[in-house]
């Protein structure tokens, strides 16, 4: 199997995209791979996330917008594969206003797909989310479940998935879609619940718990997500969707308890706030397909992963303190 290729990674300065690029160009990454990151550097993008690979001979960075057809066309023509992470990714922001989500997540994906067809890229990995399925009370979604997204964020990701799969059926483009559960880990922008709570607790502040705290999510370490995306890029099949899960299912109340414990704080630091509008009760994906077909299994236990994450935020204040003003909605 030849995995040496020229890979265009969109959104590679963000939380998950940068973890992917650091892995791809790290000591255990595939030999000879050339990686170009295309990232607009929105409030969520941070060039410092790529410092460990900046001097790697196989690395290049281009600041730009996935909605810019000229730039995208030029870059796509110079690469064999695309791994598409770039997105507006914060549900609360999509509730405050969905325009930027439609633009980047839908139009941006379409711009990349157009170029991918035109320049005959060999593989297009669309990195998506379990949120496209909507909410499920019991059991877990398989990949053939109809999409019933509820938040504007999830609706734009679902649109992008459908566009990507349509380009497989219509144009024969080798599109592979991944749908992962909630990620946590280091380098996550401090607006998402885990780093928001950890940074506030480390600063002696208070944290907000939505509604009754009974909403349930599956929490997966970012390194496990990254390994799964890489398995899909190198060994997945064209036109297929792969759910990625197998983390730890927790209610928001249980997650809050774990974060308080990990930061040495107690429940007196928690404010109970009004629930998020349209808040999905529970997400759960069935990840049998990627396990049986590609041999994926999560490796990082939640307790260990959370302890590492808290330690990283404790030791890397210089990374997150300057971001706090950008994190406010
Ligand atoms: P993030 O917000 O940390 O990073 C997004 C990156 O995209 C940033 O670097 C940003 O600058 C860049 N970007 C945004 N708009 C752009 C544009 N128009 N052109 C070019 N670059 C642009 O997001 P993340 O948490 O790393 O998520 C990455 C992907 O994974 C997203 O597609 C998201 O939907 C998906 N995902 C995330 C999770 C999660 O728990 N965070 C779970 C499943 C799937």
């Amino acid at each position: 199997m030849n995995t040496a290729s020229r890979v265009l990674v969109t959104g590679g300065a963000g939380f998950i995209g940068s973890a992917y690029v650091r892995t791809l160009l790290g000591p255990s990454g595939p030999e000879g791979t050339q990686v170009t990151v295309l990232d607009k550097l929105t409030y969520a993008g941070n060039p410092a996330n790529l410092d460990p690979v900046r001097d790697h001979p196989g690395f290049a960075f281009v600041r730009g917008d996935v909605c810019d057809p000229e730039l995208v066309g030029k870059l796509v023509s110079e690469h064999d594969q695309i791994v598409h992470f770039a997105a507006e990714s914060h549900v609360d922001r999509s509730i405050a206003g969905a325009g930027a989500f439609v633009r980047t997540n839908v139009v941006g994906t379409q711009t990349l797909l157009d170029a991918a067809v035109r320049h005959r890229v060999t593989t297009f990995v669309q990195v998506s989310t379990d949120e496209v399925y909507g909410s499920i009370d019991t059991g877990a979604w398989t990949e053939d479940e109809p999409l019933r997204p509820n938040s504007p964020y999830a609706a734009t990701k679902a649109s992008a998935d459908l566009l990507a799969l349509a380009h497989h059926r219509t144009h024969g483009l080798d599109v592979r879609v991944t749908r992962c559960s909630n990620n946590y880990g280091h380098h996550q922008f401090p607006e998402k619940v885990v780093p928001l709570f950890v940074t506030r607790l480390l600063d002696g502040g208070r944290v907000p718990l939505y509604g009754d705290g009974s909403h349930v999510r599956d929490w997966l370490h970012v390194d496990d997500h990254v390994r799964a995306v890489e398995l899909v890029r190198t060994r997945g099949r064209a036109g297929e969707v792969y759910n990625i899960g197998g983390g730890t299912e927790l209610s928001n109340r249980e997650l809050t308890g774990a974060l308080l414990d990990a930061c040495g704080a107690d429940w007196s630091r928690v404010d109970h706030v009004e629930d998020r509008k349209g808040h999905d009760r529970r997400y759960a994906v069935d990840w049998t397909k990627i396990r049986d077909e590609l041999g994926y299994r999560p490796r990082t236990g939640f307790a260990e992963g959370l302890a590492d994450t808290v330690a990283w935020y404790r030791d890397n204040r210089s990374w997150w303190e300057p971001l706090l003003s950008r994190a406010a909605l």
Side-chain angles (χ1 to χ4, degrees), residues 14 176 237 270:
R176 306 161 189 195
R237 285 182 296 135
V270 178

Side-chain angles (χ1 to χ4, degrees), residues 138-165:
T138 54
W141 296 294
T142 54
E143 287 83 355
D144 50 10
E145 205 74 29
L147 305 188
R148 293 194 186 88
N150 292 315
S151 72
Y153 160 68
T156 58
K157 292 297 293 187
S159 309
D161 288 16
L162 295 177
L163 281 169
L165 291 167

Side-chain angles (χ1 to χ4, degrees), residues 10-18 38-46 49 64-67 84-90 100 103-105 108 126-131 153 157 178-184 187-189 191-192 219-220 222 225:
T10 71
F15 166 48
I16 305 170
S18 68
L38 168 61
D39 197 298
K40 188 178 173 183
L41 297 181
T42 66
Y43 76 96
N46 188 342
N49 296 352
D65 192 334
V66 290
C67 301
H84 178 34
F85 291 95
E88 288 291 338
S89 68
H90 190 39
R103 186 176 177 280
T104 289
N105 302 0
Q126 161 68 7
V127 179
S128 189
T129 163
D130 61 358
E131 302 192 26
Y153 160 68
K157 292 297 293 187
T178 63
R179 294 185 182 143
C180 188
S181 57
N182 276 27
N183 285 210
Y184 71 96
H187 290 91
Q188 188 171 28
F189 191 78
E191 66 181 352
K192 304 277 169 62
W219 288 95
L220 187 72
V222 64
H225 185 186

Side-chain angles (χ1 to χ4, degrees), residues 52-224:
V53 295
R54 192 150 312 275
D55 297 328
H56 190 292
F59 175 75
F61 180 83
V62 175
R63 184 173 190 176
D65 192 334
V66 290
C67 301
D68 175 346
E70 226 169 279
L71 174 64
V72 165
K74 177 180 176 297
L75 288 172
V76 169
S77 73
E78 296 163 353
H79 293 81
D80 314 309
Q81 303 188 332
I82 299 173
V83 183
H84 178 34
F85 291 95
E88 288 291 338
S89 68
H90 190 39
V91 174
D92 287 343
R93 286 181 191 262
S94 79
I95 294 169
F101 288 73
V102 172
R103 186 176 177 280
T104 289
N105 302 0
V106 184
V107 179
T109 303
Q110 178 58 44
T111 307
L112 285 159
L113 288 164
D114 275 349
V117 169
R118 210 166 47 249
H119 297 290
R120 298 192 174 84
V121 304
T122 56
T123 306
F124 187 112
V125 181
Q126 161 68 7
V127 179
S128 189
T129 163
D130 61 358
E131 302 192 26
V132 297
Y133 294 114
S135 193
I136 189 167
D137 289 336
T138 54
W141 296 294
T142 54
E143 287 83 355
D144 50 10
E145 205 74 29
L147 305 188
R148 293 194 186 88
N150 292 315
S151 72
Y153 160 68
T156 58
K157 292 297 293 187
S159 309
D161 288 16
L162 295 177
L163 281 169
L165 291 167
H167 280 67
H168 169 68
R169 292 189 207 104
T170 306
H171 299 291
L173 181 66
D174 177 342
V175 165
R176 306 161 189 195
V177 176
T178 63
R179 294 185 182 143
C180 188
S181 57
N182 276 27
N183 285 210
Y184 71 96
H186 50 81
H187 290 91
Q188 188 171 28
F189 191 78
E191 66 181 352
K192 304 277 169 62
V193 61
V194 169
L196 176 78
F197 278 31
V198 170
T199 54
R200 286 203 181 168
L201 292 170
L202 291 177
D203 265 351
R206 305 183 62 76
V207 295
L209 179 61
Y210 279 132
D212 61 5
S214 64
H215 304 81
V216 172
R217 303 289 183 263
D218 173 64
W219 288 95
L220 187 72
H221 194 274
V222 64
D223 291 349
D224 287 320

